[in-house]
Amino acid sequence: MPDTSATATVLLVDDEPELRALLAEYFGRNGFEVMQAENAAAARALVAERVPDVAVLDINMPGENGLSLARALREAHPRLAVLMLTTAGEAIDRIVGLEVGADDYIAKPFELRELLARVRAVLRRLQVTAPPAAVAAEVDVERMPFGPCQLDMASRKLFGADGAEIDITAAEFDLLALFARHPNRPLNRDQIMEQAHNRGWDVFDRSIDLRVMRLRRKVERNPDKPEVIKTVRNVGYVYVPMAG
């Protein structure tokens, strides 16, 4: 498999200079272009000049914290991958991080190799390299209905009934694509985590529930009474294509 990080740019945001320097050196050695910021304000200034492919954000920083920054980055740049650094055991931070649109999280202290693996996994899902023109020209052929929406498999985008693009994260697309490939088939959380989230460790069931809740707000006519992504009690979820 090709190394998707070869030309990728990572933004490292952490108030600990020693950790930033260590991460910058490590990611640099592994083929990344590196941007560094000591706080949210500095990160915003850097992103205003150049949008990276992935941002690695510490949650606990003086001033504006990583959760607030993640929310702002996600709103301004929906295709930017976001990975959060949390303190071990702080589940609430992970839950809120997923709510604001983070693609993944990792608890401090962490192994550098695991952080690198997670960043690469996020980048593979995001498909950093743009599709060639020949592929882009066939985008319409790859569109498939998903509830009242249209899921574009080639460009990894979601479009509403009015044709307007709906912002989704890389992880949200993967989950939609998984459901689309398995209509009317109940999927449990282990299957979803394995096939859509591309992680073989630290299964965190609540993260799946949060992602489904966010997706329902985007694809359901009434998210409180889902008709497209239904809950299967004691199992998980099932995608039910709309008739006609």
Side-chain angles (χ1 to χ4, degrees):
M1 180 178 293
D3 183 0
T4 55
S5 69
T7 58
T9 301
V10 59
L11 170 63
L12 306 172
V13 187
D14 196 294
D15 62 314
E16 300 180 39
E18 295 84 1
L19 178 59
R20 279 203 320 276
L22 176 64
L23 293 179
E25 192 274 336
Y26 185 72
F27 276 98
R29 278 195 288 113
N30 282 278
F32 285 79
E33 294 184 35
V34 179
M35 301 162 62
Q36 299 183 57
E38 69 273 14
N39 54 42
R44 287 173 181 269
L46 287 174
V47 174
E49 296 181 359
R50 178 186 181 189
V51 180
D53 298 302
V54 57
V56 178
L57 313 178
D58 184 27
I59 287 183
N60 298 307
M61 297 185 293
E64 182 182 5
N65 65 28
L67 293 173
S68 174
L69 177 60
R71 181 182 292 108
L73 291 177
R74 174 64 69 213
E75 291 175 353
H77 308 286
R79 304 302 296 169
L80 168 63
V82 176
L83 189 147
M84 309 296 300
L85 303 180
T86 74
T87 301
E90 291 185 351
I92 187 62
D93 282 345
R94 297 197 293 271
I95 293 172
V96 175
L98 292 168
E99 273 284 7
V100 301
D103 294 288
D104 203 350
Y105 62 86
I106 187 170
K108 291 181 176 180
F110 50 80
E111 293 252 353
L112 291 177
R113 286 180 300 175
E114 181 180 356
L115 176 59
L116 178 65
R118 293 195 181 211
V119 167
R120 283 176 169 166
V122 167
L123 288 175
R124 283 197 296 271
R125 296 198 297 268
L126 191 61
Q127 292 184 331
V128 174
T129 304
V135 174
E138 300 174 358
V139 162
D140 288 343
V141 179
E142 298 295 334
R143 288 195 182 186
M144 57 193 305
F146 199 101
C149 304
Q150 293 284 322
L151 187 63
D152 192 316
M153 304 298 283
S155 65
R156 298 173 62 89
K157 293 180 179 180
L158 179 69
F159 296 89
D162 60 355
E165 182 179 351
I166 299 172
D167 290 341
I168 56 173
T169 67
E172 287 172 343
F173 172 84
D174 287 339
L175 188 49
L176 287 173
L178 175 64
F179 282 132
R181 291 194 299 269
H182 300 89
N184 300 309
R185 173 184 167 187
L187 299 173
N188 62 41
R189 289 173 176 79
D190 287 341
Q191 291 172 315
I192 294 171
M193 184 69 74
E194 177 67 24
Q195 298 183 54
H197 203 236
N198 198 20
R199 283 168 51 184
W201 57 82
D202 191 20
V203 175
F204 183 40
D205 284 356
R206 183 62 179 150
S207 70
I208 298 298
D209 298 331
L210 288 169
R211 294 189 197 283
V212 169
M213 180 178 65
R214 288 211 312 268
L215 285 176
R216 281 173 170 167
R217 294 172 186 162
K218 300 176 181 182
V219 304
E220 298 281 1
R221 291 193 175 98
N222 183 354
D224 294 327
K225 297 180 179 180
E227 300 176 335
V228 179
I229 304 177
K230 293 187 176 183
T231 299
V232 181
R233 190 173 180 179
N234 298 324
V235 177
Y237 298 98
V238 60
Y239 162 54
V240 181
M242 296 178 66

